[in-house]
Amino acid sequence: MVDSRFGVVELDDLPDDLRERLAPIAEKSGFVPNIFRALGRRPAELRAFLDYHDALMESDEGLSKAERELVVVATSGANHCGYCVVAHGAILRIRAKDPHLADQVATNPWGAELDDRRRAIVDLALALTREPELFGEAHLDAARAAGLSDDEIWDIGSITALFAASNRLAHLSALTPNPEFYTMGRTPPPPR
Amino acid sequence: MVDSRFGVVELDDLPDDLRERLAPIAEKSGFVPNIFRALGRRPAELRAFLDYHDALMESDEGLSKAERELVVVATSGANHCGYCVVAHGAILRIRAKDPHLADQVATNPWGAELDDRRRAIVDLALALTREPELFGEAHLDAARAAGLSDDEIWDIGSITALFAASNRLAHLSALTPNPEFYTMGRTPPPPR
Amino acid sequence: MVDSRFGVVELDDLPDDLRERLAPIAEKSGFVPNIFRALGRRPAELRAFLDYHDALMESDEGLSKAERELVVVATSGANHCGYCVVAHGAILRIRAKDPHLADQVATNPWGAELDDRRRAIVDLALALTREPELFGEAHLDAARAAGLSDDEIWDIGSITALFAASNRLAHLSALTPNPEFYTMGRTPPPPR
Amino acid sequence: MVDSRFGVVELDDLPDDLRERLAPIAEKSGFVPNIFRALGRRPAELRAFLDYHDALMESDEGLSKAERELVVVATSGANHCGYCVVAHGAILRIRAKDPHLADQVATNPWGAELDDRRRAIVDLALALTREPELFGEAHLDAARAAGLSDDEIWDIGSITALFAASNRLAHLSALTPNPEFYTMGRTPPPPR
Amino acid sequence: MVDSRFGVVELDDLPDDLRERLAPIAEKSGFVPNIFRALGRRPAELRAFLDYHDALMESDEGLSKAERELVVVATSGANHCGYCVVAHGAILRIRAKDPHLADQVATNPWGAELDDRRRAIVDLALALTREPELFGEAHLDAARAAGLSDDEIWDIGSITALFAASNRLAHLSALTPNPEFYTMGRTPPPPR
Amino acid sequence: MVDSRFGVVELDDLPDDLRERLAPIAEKSGFVPNIFRALGRRPAELRAFLDYHDALMESDEGLSKAERELVVVATSGANHCGYCVVAHGAILRIRAKDPHLADQVATNPWGAELDDRRRAIVDLALALTREPELFGEAHLDAARAAGLSDDEIWDIGSITALFAASNRLAHLSALTPNPEFYTMGRTPPPPR
């Protein structure tokens, strides 16, 4: 079992801008997430992917960062993406400060018990995940009725779209999650 | 969020035979798995469920116990059963002595990378899980070609059948996994 | 075409308790239903199956016995289980004293015309049959609105679960219905 | 429960040509099949339907009449059409002189045990039934490998197409099978 | 790439009545639609097909001719029928005097933006197209709420049924659209 | 019917770099494709989308540009995306110099008749489109057997992934195709 069917590129072998961009992530978490190593064989694609990702995921305006990760885990669960569920499950546990939410949502995004706002967020994401041709005004009405703004709806829909791509890149390359992801956020940090 | 939509029965309130049967499990693991507390409202059903479970799961003849749990996790993943994936994922981690296998198989039982014997076991289980009407000689031929005996095939099929029931009982009652299951088997036991 | 892919065990070759338990059934109906002959190769499993079956099917509290068989025929039709549809179709014809109901429900459980209570029973069973991950409060609300109690809902859900198992055991073993089942209950008994 | 959602027209109220055409059927079987009474509200459509039906079903060249009914029962089973399964199940029992075949094929057309020629006939019909967009050369190759001629393949495909229409007309009008169909052909005719 | 897998029959080789019937169509449009050339190998089937087609499509009572073609394009799009989408897309463009409607409805019949009456027509057709077993009173209620009469509902349902057949005949024979269809109705006729 | 549910941004209102980037496209084709006007409300997202798009679509190494558009049309057809099918159908007609290919592939990507290389390209794209969890070595083997290199496979998979995103953005915003797309490439350019 290799990390990716099409090989990986290590941090040191990436173009300067990408190396400088990913180094802080590697330093902070102690490893380079395999999606970056796999996409590294195509620097222009990795760069665009990172740009799109950061534009949608690194903001707390409207949707919180935890809610953004909730969208990722729900849609990746519905798409049965092992890499994305394990990697973003870890991030969701940390951002939502909840050790159980990710496993529940990833396993059954349709039925996991969530509060009304989270359920509306996940429902909107699911409506675009597997049968996007059925998406319509009824889904928007439900989202708005739950208090979601048009900007939040755009974010949910766009994150779902981006991970429709990301899930398929992981399926294409049989991407393996870094082992660190499996345990991150499962236990509360020790009190200081 | 309660443990079951229809309430639970505590160990002390169960009929004697069930209490005596479950007490060692509770003692060993430190908790009573919620499936037993939920089924406890119908002692005759709990008794039959335990009997069927033990007949299929507590044996190492042919299929190993780890392989039996692999069937459970694969079919429960395909059925999106939160309780069963979390609970039996823990048992699979322990029995297979592998901290990653359960998450991979639960998230994508169709595509997770497995050795040939495990892949054949999981494929046979999946063939009976979602569209059992398509099950036929071709599935048996593939299983036999992978070296599975008729007794092993019977076990795989019967475990898949039992958890088709178990998954639906969990969906019916919105069963919540005991928190202990989420972390069991994720790290190796400390050396003695 | 044999009765089961994995062979059958005749009444006389079963352990005493099972022989004594099944003999009255064989005597009354004139034959041993093939599901028992097929499961007979694993006495502990047959025993547990019979216990679970009897706990759920041999009661008239809440759901009538005809309604319990209606659940079996609906879910077995949705699962395309030849053995279960033919065998339990016969029992439903007899218990509901209706020669047409079983064929209608087995062929199209979603659309067969039923009175409101029967439709609610069948709808609840179907909600757990093929896509149990979608089961949720909306289904329970509809069932309760039709007057079903929580005990009746549990029975419907648990019978659906048990036959999710039973259907798959029949698919696994390519179980053949006993010929007697095809005609039972199709014509009214002669007046006495 | 009425015979059709949109009403029926009795034999005596049909245009002369249709009355003369259907009278022998009514006389022979003792009743007018409800599909004709329902379509009777649109004589031109009934006429075209009968013409298409007779062109495909009333021939023994290539496919036998029993094999033509086998196609009807398989595709109607896959489409969950209560009227067509009950009505053509009766005709199949009679034409194939087999009291069990229809129930088995209607309940599980994909998995029912059939000899090679019948399996190839049913497989070809099923390939065009639910996901006709997937139909291709591989299905034709399999049919030809089983010895089916191009004229037989045309017949199987065209009967499947005609009953794709017929099934939907029955769903549209909630067509009820005439009660006589349920028991026809279930027991051998008394010896003379 | 031939016009049909099973060959075609040219106008001059058809029986007199069919030749006389199709000649005006060929003259008016400048070509013989390939469906007629393909069905020509079975004159009785072609005759019945034309009769059924004309009974349902050549009327302006209730549904307009454009609305009838809308049903054809929607259901053929849902069935992924290349021939029917291209051929009837052309007719819909002409009859609805709209160069964009057909492509939108064929590509996504579930989600294309339509006025309320057209949406109700398409929704009813779709309800009978892929999962006709789910058709029921709720679909009729929605159609009636949009102002559709029972005769219009019958027409929509019957056109959907006829093209369930027609789509499958095209899939069976790998029918190729005549090249003229691709451009018909895409630009307004020049002013006179 | 507006161009996008969430409004559009005109060329003149975009940030300088985007305006300069899109102006040549607008000049050459005579209009700004609506996807750019819709994404314009989020310049960072539009920028990343364009970067990813150009990295994958504006190359003739390995896959030709026509083959890249073929992937887009096939996957967008399978996802029922009206905007993408109409817009990229136009580009495919032009790049492949074939006025019929796009309509055939968009309507039925699974069954459209294609030469072996194109069929292999489309099959690989489809394998990742609707049920990406089933993607595996068998799909890669088939692609390689058809002569596709690993770089070509990566391109096909990544284009499929990008348009999994793009299709969903169009569904989210109910994106309307620019009217010019419907007729582009349908007739050969006049000889000079």
Side-chain angles (χ1 to χ4, degrees):
Chain A
M1 195 155 66
V2 294
D3 291 338
S4 160
R5 265 192 195 113
F6 300 95
V8 295
V9 176
E10 301 305 339
L11 198 58
D12 286 349
D13 300 322
L14 286 174
D16 288 358
D17 67 311
L18 288 167
R19 198 177 58 245
E20 282 162 28
R21 186 169 187 170
L22 295 174
I25 296 173
E27 209 156 314
K28 191 179 162 196
S29 55
F31 61 94
V32 182
N34 285 337
I35 179 76
F36 304 138
R37 295 168 71 226
L39 286 178
R41 73 196 294 270
R42 295 278 185 96
E45 297 169 27
L46 172 53
R47 212 172 275 124
F49 180 84
L50 284 167
D51 289 346
Y52 215 146
H53 178 277
D54 291 356
L56 286 169
M57 302 302 291
E58 298 303 322
S59 163
D60 256 328
E61 266 183 73
L63 290 187
S64 71
K65 284 184 186 167
E67 287 168 340
R68 292 166 198 266
E69 292 296 331
L70 181 67
V71 173
V72 177
V73 171
T75 198
S76 299
N79 280 330
H80 303 282
C81 179
Y83 178 84
C84 303
V85 159
V86 172
H88 288 271
I91 306 176
L92 176 57
R93 283 192 295 272
I94 291 168
R95 295 208 164 160
K97 296 183 177 49
D98 182 330
H100 301 160
L101 177 63
D103 288 347
Q104 286 301 305
V105 169
T107 306
N108 186 4
W110 303 275
E113 280 190 76
L114 300 169
D115 67 35
D116 287 353
R117 180 175 162 92
R118 284 181 170 176
R119 174 46 55 204
I121 290 170
V122 169
D123 280 349
L124 194 74
L126 292 174
L128 279 166
T129 298
R130 297 289 294 200
E131 301 185 296
E133 64 273 18
L134 303 182
F135 190 82
E137 291 297 323
H139 299 108
L140 293 169
D141 290 346
R144 287 169 184 145
L148 294 166
S149 71
D150 271 21
D151 257 329
E152 291 175 321
I153 289 171
W154 179 277
D155 279 329
I156 296 165
S158 296
I159 295 169
T160 302
L162 180 63
F163 280 84
S166 187
N167 291 170
R168 282 161 178 84
L169 292 172
H171 285 301
L172 172 68
S173 51
L175 204 61
T176 303
N178 307 62
E180 292 85 348
F181 282 128
Y182 288 88
T183 50
M184 281 167 62
R186 293 206 173 268
T187 49
R192 286 186 286 179
Chain B
M1 196 154 70
V2 294
D3 291 337
S4 160
R5 263 191 196 113
F6 300 95
V8 295
V9 176
E10 302 304 341
L11 198 58
D12 286 350
D13 300 322
L14 285 174
D16 288 357
D17 67 311
L18 287 167
R19 198 176 58 244
E20 282 161 29
R21 186 169 186 170
L22 294 173
I25 295 173
E27 210 156 314
K28 191 179 164 195
S29 56
F31 61 95
V32 182
N34 285 336
I35 180 75
F36 303 138
R37 295 169 69 227
L39 286 178
R41 72 196 295 269
R42 296 278 186 93
E45 298 169 27
L46 172 53
R47 212 170 276 125
F49 180 84
L50 285 167
D51 289 345
Y52 216 145
H53 179 278
D54 292 355
L56 286 169
M57 302 301 291
E58 299 302 323
S59 163
D60 256 327
E61 264 183 73
L63 290 186
S64 71
K65 283 185 186 167
E67 287 168 339
R68 292 166 197 266
E69 291 296 331
L70 180 67
V71 173
V72 177
V73 171
T75 198
S76 299
N79 280 331
H80 303 282
C81 179
Y83 178 84
C84 304
V85 160
V86 172
H88 288 271
I91 307 177
L92 176 56
R93 283 191 296 271
I94 291 168
R95 295 208 164 159
K97 296 185 175 47
D98 181 329
H100 300 160
L101 176 64
D103 287 347
Q104 287 301 307
V105 168
T107 306
N108 186 4
W110 302 276
E113 281 189 75
L114 300 170
D115 67 34
D116 287 353
R117 179 175 162 92
R118 284 182 171 175
R119 174 45 56 202
I121 290 171
V122 169
D123 281 348
L124 194 75
L126 293 174
L128 279 167
T129 298
R130 297 290 291 199
E131 301 184 295
E133 64 274 19
L134 304 182
F135 190 83
E137 290 297 324
H139 300 107
L140 293 169
D141 290 347
R144 286 168 184 147
L148 293 166
S149 73
D150 271 20
D151 256 329
E152 290 174 320
I153 288 171
W154 179 278
D155 279 328
I156 295 166
S158 296
I159 294 169
T160 301
L162 179 64
F163 280 84
S166 187
N167 291 172
R168 283 160 178 83
L169 292 172
H171 285 301
L172 172 69
S173 52
L175 203 62
T176 303
N178 307 61
E180 291 85 349
F181 282 128
Y182 289 88
T183 50
M184 281 167 61
R186 292 204 174 269
T187 48
R192 288 186 282 179
Chain C
M1 196 155 68
V2 294
D3 291 338
S4 160
R5 265 192 195 111
F6 299 95
V8 294
V9 176
E10 300 306 339
L11 198 57
D12 286 349
D13 299 321
L14 286 173
D16 288 358
D17 68 311
L18 287 167
R19 198 176 58 242
E20 281 161 30
R21 187 168 185 171
L22 295 173
I25 296 173
E27 208 156 317
K28 191 178 163 196
S29 56
F31 61 95
V32 182
N34 285 336
I35 180 75
F36 303 138
R37 296 169 68 225
L39 286 178
R41 73 197 291 272
R42 294 278 186 94
E45 297 169 27
L46 172 53
R47 212 171 275 124
F49 180 85
L50 284 167
D51 289 347
Y52 216 147
H53 179 277
D54 292 355
L56 286 168
M57 302 301 291
E58 299 302 322
S59 162
D60 256 326
E61 264 184 73
L63 290 186
S64 71
K65 284 185 185 166
E67 287 168 340
R68 292 164 197 267
E69 291 296 331
L70 181 67
V71 173
V72 177
V73 170
T75 199
S76 300
N79 280 330
H80 304 283
C81 179
Y83 178 84
C84 303
V85 160
V86 172
H88 287 272
I91 306 176
L92 176 56
R93 283 192 295 271
I94 292 168
R95 294 208 165 160
K97 295 185 176 50
D98 181 328
H100 301 160
L101 177 63
D103 288 346
Q104 287 301 305
V105 168
T107 306
N108 186 4
W110 303 275
E113 281 190 75
L114 300 170
D115 66 36
D116 286 355
R117 180 175 163 91
R118 284 182 170 174
R119 175 45 56 202
I121 291 171
V122 169
D123 281 350
L124 195 74
L126 292 174
L128 280 166
T129 299
R130 297 289 293 200
E131 301 185 295
E133 64 273 19
L134 304 181
F135 190 83
E137 290 297 324
H139 299 108
L140 292 168
D141 291 346
R144 286 169 184 144
L148 293 166
S149 72
D150 270 22
D151 257 328
E152 291 174 322
I153 288 171
W154 179 278
D155 279 329
I156 295 166
S158 296
I159 294 169
T160 301
L162 179 63
F163 279 85
S166 186
N167 292 171
R168 283 161 178 83
L169 292 172
H171 284 302
L172 171 68
S173 51
L175 204 61
T176 303
N178 306 61
E180 291 85 348
F181 282 129
Y182 288 87
T183 49
M184 280 166 62
R186 293 205 173 268
T187 47
R192 285 188 284 180
Chain D
M1 196 155 68
V2 294
D3 291 337
S4 161
R5 267 192 194 111
F6 299 95
V8 294
V9 177
E10 301 304 339
L11 197 59
D12 287 349
D13 300 322
L14 286 173
D16 288 358
D17 67 311
L18 287 167
R19 200 176 56 243
E20 281 162 28
R21 187 168 184 171
L22 295 174
I25 295 173
E27 209 156 314
K28 191 178 163 195
S29 57
F31 61 95
V32 182
N34 285 337
I35 180 75
F36 303 137
R37 295 169 69 225
L39 286 178
R41 73 195 293 270
R42 296 278 185 95
E45 297 168 27
L46 173 52
R47 212 171 276 125
F49 180 85
L50 285 167
D51 288 347
Y52 215 145
H53 178 277
D54 292 355
L56 286 169
M57 302 301 291
E58 299 303 322
S59 163
D60 256 327
E61 265 183 71
L63 290 187
S64 71
K65 284 184 185 166
E67 287 168 339
R68 291 165 197 266
E69 291 297 329
L70 181 68
V71 173
V72 176
V73 170
T75 198
S76 299
N79 280 330
H80 303 282
C81 179
Y83 178 83
C84 303
V85 160
V86 172
H88 287 272
I91 306 177
L92 176 56
R93 285 192 293 272
I94 291 168
R95 294 209 165 159
K97 295 185 177 48
D98 181 329
H100 300 160
L101 176 64
D103 287 347
Q104 286 302 304
V105 168
T107 305
N108 186 4
W110 303 276
E113 281 189 76
L114 300 170
D115 66 35
D116 287 353
R117 180 175 163 93
R118 284 181 170 175
R119 176 42 58 203
I121 290 171
V122 169
D123 281 349
L124 194 74
L126 292 173
L128 280 166
T129 297
R130 297 291 291 201
E131 300 185 295
E133 65 273 18
L134 303 182
F135 190 82
E137 290 298 324
H139 299 107
L140 293 169
D141 290 347
R144 285 169 185 145
L148 293 166
S149 72
D150 271 22
D151 257 327
E152 291 174 321
I153 289 171
W154 178 278
D155 279 328
I156 295 165
S158 296
I159 294 168
T160 301
L162 179 63
F163 280 84
S166 186
N167 291 171
R168 283 161 177 82
L169 292 172
H171 285 302
L172 171 69
S173 50
L175 203 62
T176 303
N178 307 61
E180 291 85 348
F181 282 128
Y182 289 87
T183 49
M184 281 166 61
R186 292 204 175 272
T187 47
R192 286 187 284 178
Chain E
M1 194 156 68
V2 294
D3 291 337
S4 161
R5 263 191 196 114
F6 300 95
V8 295
V9 176
E10 302 304 339
L11 197 58
D12 286 349
D13 300 323
L14 287 173
D16 289 357
D17 67 311
L18 287 168
R19 199 176 59 242
E20 281 162 28
R21 187 168 184 171
L22 294 174
I25 296 173
E27 209 157 315
K28 192 179 162 195
S29 56
F31 61 95
V32 182
N34 285 336
I35 180 76
F36 303 139
R37 294 168 70 225
L39 286 178
R41 74 196 292 271
R42 294 278 185 95
E45 296 169 28
L46 172 53
R47 213 171 275 125
F49 180 84
L50 285 167
D51 289 346
Y52 215 145
H53 179 278
D54 292 356
L56 285 169
M57 301 302 289
E58 299 303 322
S59 162
D60 256 328
E61 264 183 74
L63 290 186
S64 71
K65 284 185 185 167
E67 287 168 340
R68 292 165 198 267
E69 291 296 331
L70 181 67
V71 173
V72 176
V73 170
T75 198
S76 299
N79 280 330
H80 303 283
C81 178
Y83 178 84
C84 303
V85 160
V86 172
H88 286 272
I91 307 177
L92 176 55
R93 284 193 294 272
I94 291 169
R95 295 210 164 158
K97 296 185 175 47
D98 181 329
H100 301 159
L101 177 63
D103 288 346
Q104 287 301 306
V105 168
T107 306
N108 186 3
W110 302 276
E113 281 189 75
L114 300 170
D115 66 35
D116 286 354
R117 180 175 162 91
R118 283 181 171 175
R119 175 44 55 204
I121 290 171
V122 169
D123 281 349
L124 194 75
L126 292 174
L128 279 166
T129 297
R130 297 290 292 199
E131 301 185 295
E133 65 273 19
L134 303 182
F135 190 82
E137 290 297 324
H139 299 108
L140 293 169
D141 290 347
R144 284 168 186 147
L148 293 166
S149 71
D150 271 21
D151 257 328
E152 291 174 321
I153 289 171
W154 178 277
D155 278 329
I156 295 165
S158 296
I159 294 169
T160 302
L162 179 62
F163 280 84
S166 187
N167 292 170
R168 282 161 178 83
L169 292 172
H171 285 301
L172 171 69
S173 50
L175 203 61
T176 303
N178 306 62
E180 292 86 347
F181 282 128
Y182 288 87
T183 51
M184 281 166 61
R186 292 206 174 267
T187 48
R192 285 186 285 180
Chain F
M1 194 155 68
V2 295
D3 290 338
S4 161
R5 264 190 195 114
F6 299 95
V8 295
V9 176
E10 301 304 340
L11 197 57
D12 286 349
D13 300 323
L14 286 173
D16 288 358
D17 66 311
L18 287 167
R19 198 175 58 245
E20 281 162 28
R21 186 170 186 170
L22 294 174
I25 294 173
E27 210 157 314
K28 190 179 163 196
S29 56
F31 61 95
V32 181
N34 285 336
I35 179 76
F36 303 138
R37 296 168 69 223
L39 286 178
R41 73 196 293 269
R42 296 280 186 93
E45 297 169 27
L46 173 53
R47 212 172 275 125
F49 180 84
L50 284 167
D51 289 347
Y52 216 146
H53 178 276
D54 292 356
L56 286 169
M57 302 301 291
E58 299 302 321
S59 163
D60 257 327
E61 265 183 72
L63 289 188
S64 71
K65 285 186 185 166
E67 287 169 340
R68 291 165 198 266
E69 291 297 330
L70 181 67
V71 173
V72 177
V73 170
T75 197
S76 299
N79 279 331
H80 303 282
C81 178
Y83 178 83
C84 304
V85 159
V86 172
H88 287 272
I91 307 176
L92 176 56
R93 283 192 295 272
I94 291 168
R95 295 208 163 159
K97 296 185 176 48
D98 181 329
H100 301 160
L101 176 64
D103 288 347
Q104 287 302 306
V105 168
T107 306
N108 186 4
W110 303 276
E113 281 188 76
L114 300 170
D115 66 35
D116 286 353
R117 181 175 162 92
R118 285 182 169 173
R119 175 46 54 204
I121 291 171
V122 169
D123 281 349
L124 193 75
L126 293 174
L128 280 166
T129 298
R130 298 290 293 201
E131 301 184 295
E133 65 272 20
L134 303 182
F135 190 82
E137 290 297 324
H139 300 107
L140 293 169
D141 290 345
R144 285 169 184 146
L148 293 166
S149 72
D150 270 21
D151 257 328
E152 290 174 320
I153 289 171
W154 179 278
D155 279 328
I156 296 166
S158 296
I159 295 169
T160 301
L162 178 63
F163 280 84
S166 187
N167 292 170
R168 282 161 178 83
L169 292 172
H171 285 301
L172 172 68
S173 50
L175 203 62
T176 303
N178 306 61
E180 291 85 349
F181 282 129
Y182 289 88
T183 50
M184 281 166 63
R186 292 204 175 271
T187 48
R192 286 187 283 180

